Amino acid sequence: MKGQRKAPPSPERLAHAARLFADGASQREVQRTTGIACETLRKHFPGQGWTYRDGGNFRALTRDNPIQLKGTP
């Protein structure tokens, strides 16, 4: 329902997010993997994830050689 608050993430999900950040994952990747909202990740892990420069460098590296995921042509 609109305006209804979700339950806070479990300690296991937060620990999983912390491991992903420690491995160098971006905030968007942690959000997709754990299902934790970006606002919640920012609250629990301030300053974690990629900087704009990191994202730009990744995009520059993958612009001409897109990453191929399994099952995609």
Side-chain angles (χ1 to χ4, degrees), residues 16 44 67:
H16 186 212
H44 288 280
I67 296 174

Side-chain angles (χ1 to χ4, degrees), residues 10-63:
S10 67
E12 293 83 16
R13 286 175 60 196
L14 288 174
H16 186 212
R19 285 192 305 272
L20 290 170
F21 278 130
D23 287 341
S26 67
Q27 189 166 11
R28 183 173 287 176
E29 183 62 28
V30 174
Q31 180 184 359
R32 279 189 297 231
T33 303
T34 62
I36 299 173
C38 60
E39 295 83 11
T40 305
L41 288 173
R42 286 189 197 115
K43 182 174 96 174
H44 288 280
F45 304 100
Q48 294 291 315
W50 289 2
T51 64
Y52 284 111
R53 178 169 283 180
D54 293 335
N57 289 339
F58 178 77
R59 178 67 181 124
L61 289 171
T62 59
R63 184 177 300 130

